[in-house]
Amino acid sequence: MFSKMFDCKLFFSSRSTLPFPGSQDQYEVFIKELVWNLFGEGNDVFKEGEWTKSIEMYTEALSIAEYADSEDICVPTGLLEKLYANRAAAYLNIGLYDQALEDCEKALQLNDGNYKALYRKAKSLKELGRHQEAYEAVAKCSLAVPQVRRQTRTLYLNNTETPMGMAVGMPDVKGLPAAVDLAKNPLADTHEFKQACSICFVKTGPGVLDYTLHTEDHKCKKDALLGRFIHSPDKSWKLIRPRPTKTQYVGPYYICKEVAVGKECLYPGHCTFAYCQEEIDVWTLERKGFISRELLFDPFGPSSNVRLTVPKILQEHHGIFMFLCGVCFDHKPRIISKTNKDNPSLCSHPVTKHDFEDHKCLVHILKENTVRYSKIRPLTPYCQLDLCRHEVRYGCVREDECFYAHSLIELKVWMLQHELGITHENIVQEAKKFWNATAMLQGSQLSTVQRRFGPPNLKMMFVCGQCWRHGQLNEADKNKKYCTAKARHTWAKDRRVVLVSSHERKKWTTVRPLPTKKPIPSQFEICMHVTAGKKCQYIGNCTFAHSAEERDLWTYMKENNIPDMDQLYEQWLQSQKPGWGEETSSNSIRENGKQIHMPTDYAEEVAGNHCWLCGKNCNSEKQWQQHITSDKHKDRVFNSEDDQNCWQYRFPTGTFKVCERFLKGTCTEDDLCKLAHGEQELKEWMERREFLLMKLAKARKDHLIAPNDNDFGKYSFLLKDIK
């Protein structure tokens, strides 16, 4: 019956006169049911976030309703009103504000008291820059529904807005979730867990899931977690590995591609993808803080009181909490500004100095290869203790209006605030205390092993190479960003040189980088040309020392495993003063080979725009335009490491049709074929196109794409109309 409806649906949309096998009354009932079914399907895919598919369903329903009207069949006005209002909501979600406004007007023509259509009309007008009309629509909406007046004044309604016909009235705003009780196992009804060790849980095959559990008595270390579904026909135990924490990825977990097809994982021991669904379930709840694997077996043991604290968050995620100017941070594109040095009550923006205290926002800053800023919004009664699934994939278009956490660090802070009632000011103070204690500990550890750095007969210094060419000795400024000369040359690794002076000669001499010739000689010799008092005649990089000082420093670097001048510079800086990281902004202390950044590492002033995609700061408009038009940046707009593991088929070619030759088994082009090889690949191509369009819309909204830039290389097919 359902498939017949869809067949008829196609005939209706083309104004077919195919006779209906039944009476006129049955025909009318059939038409109305078809419209209702399409309406319900549109609502279902809307809830899943598939906006384009929901638009297709609503449009088809409206086409059939229009056909029905020509046949004197009356589709209920209330249903038409809901179809227009719901399609407007879908249009809003993909940034088609003109179409959304048009549908809102049609819904309001059918019912001028439809407050959802009024709200969506105001939202569309606001996005189109028609602020006066948006305000008038908001005012009318507030009069229609007084209980939502406060929210509609600023167009900040619950982000969990559902299509009409799925709930009565405005969407319910949930209160704060109940406090998370880690002593309870939220998987108890569906999963069972067991502890094991390498003696009783033995690998019996090449696959990552080929294990056998032996139950004989032994002294079990219980250092491995096993799990399985209670009601599954598969009764084998699966190993639940520790959750990967070395990645900033906060999206949903996926099963490793190789494991999913029965192959061996290409990265055993390092794979950050799950090997089974049980592992996904545990990892997901662990990351949200809803479960603790230590309590899966002894929920009432001594460790049951597991509580989040600021130090625990910083130990796991590193970085620092600090306040930035919220107005600058929310600017499109983003600008990073702190308090003004001359006037702390204002922000450090070079032109518009906002009142800092009134507009400050809490931000978590993580500095690795790039700088990542994560805004922590205030916890409100509307906040949901869960991650926003849109933000982790392509960027949530609702931004601050969304009541779901937009990063794992924000979720942790919300949970901390919900449990302890701690304020943002308290969080910043606790973070400072934690890092001060860490800095003191690092300083004391360094002082215990403090010794003179470099060869005992040499003094060493690093100077600006450009100044040194003119015979000037200029070191770096306090922030290690420029040299101390009036010209303020950039202090970069390729623009600084190391000078040494021996007790005998007391003259500063340049030292070249350590020779890269392999194997490194057991001892370095001085070049025979230099020994003879002549200039070295070797064309290229001479691997012999050109002075006794150079020979001594190379020998010191070799004996102390210092491979290059960058490492030499870092260790020399560290030797200048214990805890040097407290005063330098571009370096950090190393612990077990990892960088530990101190709060002042993040104290750099940024005058220009910040690209949150690439973690790049641009100090001029010209530099910003060069960055957002670069191929590397554009690729980051559409592509990320984790996206590659979410798709099973080829990248879309731009031709969205199934290859007929492939269906017949005669296609010889394989991956070079421009057409889809099967319905499943075509379906994924359409989903992938919608996903990429979402990313592009978010980038345009954040001004990370130049307004007139339509050159996206292999992604340019997104701008074409797909038939």
Side-chain angles (χ1 to χ4, degrees), residues 563-579:
D564 52 42
M565 290 303 179
D566 291 338
Q567 290 282 343
L568 181 71
Y569 175 66
E570 185 174 335
Q571 294 192 27
W572 174 79
L573 269 179
Q574 184 174 329
S575 71
Q576 299 302 294
K577 182 181 178 181

Side-chain angles (χ1 to χ4, degrees), residues 355-592:
D355 187 299
F356 190 84
E357 196 61 34
D358 290 344
H359 300 109
K360 68 181 181 182
C361 66
L362 180 64
V363 177
H364 176 261
I365 309 174
L366 179 65
K367 187 172 184 179
E368 293 179 325
N369 295 328
T370 58
V371 186
R372 181 187 297 272
Y373 298 90
S374 301
K375 183 178 180 181
I376 313 296
R377 294 165 292 165
L379 180 67
T380 68
Y382 310 119
C383 290
Q384 306 298 305
L385 298 185
D386 200 354
L387 285 168
C388 174
R389 62 190 177 93
H390 302 302
E391 177 67 18
V392 299
R393 293 205 71 197
Y394 50 76
C396 180
V397 295
R398 295 182 180 273
E399 298 181 347
D400 285 356
E401 298 175 41
C402 181
F403 294 119
Y404 288 85
H406 280 179
S407 66
L408 185 55
I409 196 75
E410 185 173 56
L411 176 61
K412 292 283 183 71
V413 171
W414 282 1
M415 293 172 64
L416 174 68
Q417 288 188 279
H418 178 251
E419 187 176 352
L420 302 180
I422 189 172
T423 65
H424 283 185
E425 284 75 10
N426 296 141
I427 290 173
V428 172
Q429 291 172 6
E430 289 292 322
K432 286 181 179 178
K433 288 179 183 177
F434 170 75
W435 280 115
N436 287 337
T438 303
M440 290 178 64
L441 177 61
Q442 293 287 346
S444 62
Q445 289 176 346
L446 286 171
S447 62
T448 58
V449 295
Q450 190 68 23
R451 63 183 182 85
R452 191 183 184 284
F453 183 76
N457 65 320
L458 296 180
K459 288 193 293 186
M460 187 188 311
M461 69 183 300
F462 283 82
V463 298
C464 173
Q466 289 177 267
C467 295
W468 173 246
R469 284 200 295 268
H470 297 91
Q472 299 175 349
L473 292 175
N474 288 310
E475 298 183 90
D477 62 8
K478 183 178 180 181
N479 293 322
K480 304 293 185 291
K481 296 184 71 174
Y482 304 98
C483 75
T484 53
K486 288 185 178 180
R488 288 175 62 77
H489 301 122
T490 303
W491 187 258
K493 61 182 180 181
D494 57 337
R495 295 189 177 185
R496 61 180 179 236
V497 296
V498 57
L499 303 181
V500 294
S501 171
S502 64
H503 299 317
E504 295 80 16
R505 292 210 300 170
K506 296 184 180 179
K507 178 184 177 181
W508 290 111
T509 305
T510 307
V511 175
R512 296 170 300 144
L514 194 68
T516 55
K517 181 182 177 182
K518 302 293 182 182
I520 297 176
S522 57
Q523 63 180 29
F524 294 103
E525 302 291 344
I526 298 179
C527 176
M528 63 179 183
H529 299 288
V530 175
T531 304
K534 299 178 182 179
K535 184 178 180 181
C536 180
Q537 301 299 312
Y538 182 73
I539 300 174
N541 296 322
C542 181
T543 58
F544 290 91
H546 285 180
S547 66
E549 291 84 356
E550 189 169 68
R551 179 195 60 192
D552 293 343
L553 184 58
W554 282 1
T555 302
Y556 176 82
M557 292 173 67
K558 173 180 171 291
E559 292 175 348
N560 290 274
N561 296 318
I562 303 175
D564 52 42
M565 290 303 179
D566 291 338
Q567 290 282 343
L568 181 71
Y569 175 66
E570 185 174 335
Q571 294 192 27
W572 174 79
L573 269 179
Q574 184 174 329
S575 71
Q576 299 302 294
K577 182 181 178 181
W580 57 270
E582 299 175 30
E583 295 183 0
T584 57
S585 63
S586 59
N587 298 284
S588 60
I589 296 172
R590 289 182 176 270
E591 181 182 20
N592 297 328

Side-chain angles (χ1 to χ4, degrees), residues 110 247 314 330 464 512-513 515 581 583 613 640 656 697 700:
L110 297 171
T247 173
L314 291 178
D330 293 335
C464 173
R512 296 170 300 144
E583 295 183 0
L613 265 175
S640 67
F656 289 75
R700 286 200 186 280

